Amino acid sequence: MSRVVIRPLHKDDEGEWRRLWTAYLAFYETVLPEAVFATTFARLTGEAAEGEYRGLLATLDGKPVGLAHYLFHRSCWTTGNVCYLQDLFADPEVRGAGIGRALIEGVYARAREAGAPEVYWMTQEFNATARRLYDRIAEKTPFIVYQKNL
């Protein structure tokens, strides 16, 4: 029987994290410079300072197979922080094995522990596989995202 473990990302996970995040970025047809990789990993594995990203790693029988990056931040609509799930990825070979759901549940648990009243995230419209999961474990909102690159 396979065993999935969700745990915080550690500094000694860098090689596997890079492999997973590179695959995640490739899914979105994105390549980032080394400086972004180094900075992001340092943030994810540094002190969990207020407003800093945190990382989770999913392992299946001890092998890293997925990641999640999340952030607590203030909101004008509540007195506490809310939780934003920025990145979520599971190796294609293990899709359908509950890795994505386990990672999201891991973020939910950390949000509850922190007293956050909600967890939210975005995905692209074409990401049908992920959206099937999201539709089962969260509520799709009517919000539309706008962005201006500067």
Side-chain angles (χ1 to χ4, degrees), residues 58-99:
T59 63
L60 181 62
D61 295 330
K63 179 184 185 242
V65 294
L67 60 77
H69 303 152
Y70 63 101
L71 168 79
F72 294 106
H73 68 88
R74 292 183 179 175
S75 170
C76 292
W77 291 31
T78 183
T79 56
N81 289 338
V82 296
C83 183
Y84 173 55
L85 171 57
Q86 182 169 10
D87 303 314
L88 178 74
F89 180 75
D91 265 334
E93 312 85 68
V94 297
R95 298 238 172 101
I99 304 302

Side-chain angles (χ1 to χ4, degrees), residues 22-121:
T22 298
Y24 171 75
L25 295 171
F27 176 80
Y28 285 110
E29 300 178 352
T30 300
V31 176
L32 296 175
E34 173 55 30
V36 174
F37 271 80
T39 300
T40 299
F41 190 74
R43 288 174 176 164
L44 290 167
T45 57
E47 294 297 316
E50 181 81 20
E52 195 59 80
Y53 277 93
R54 300 160 193 215
L56 296 177
L57 193 68
T59 63
L60 181 62
D61 295 330
K63 179 184 185 242
V65 294
L67 60 77
H69 303 152
Y70 63 101
L71 168 79
F72 294 106
H73 68 88
R74 292 183 179 175
S75 170
C76 292
W77 291 31
T78 183
T79 56
N81 289 338
V82 296
C83 183
Y84 173 55
L85 171 57
Q86 182 169 10
D87 303 314
L88 178 74
F89 180 75
D91 265 334
E93 312 85 68
V94 297
R95 298 238 172 101
I99 304 302
R101 181 184 198 107
L103 283 161
I104 293 171
E105 293 289 344
V107 173
Y108 286 171
R110 281 144 182 92
R112 276 188 213 92
E113 289 168 11
E118 71 179 39
V119 175
Y120 73 100
W121 63 92

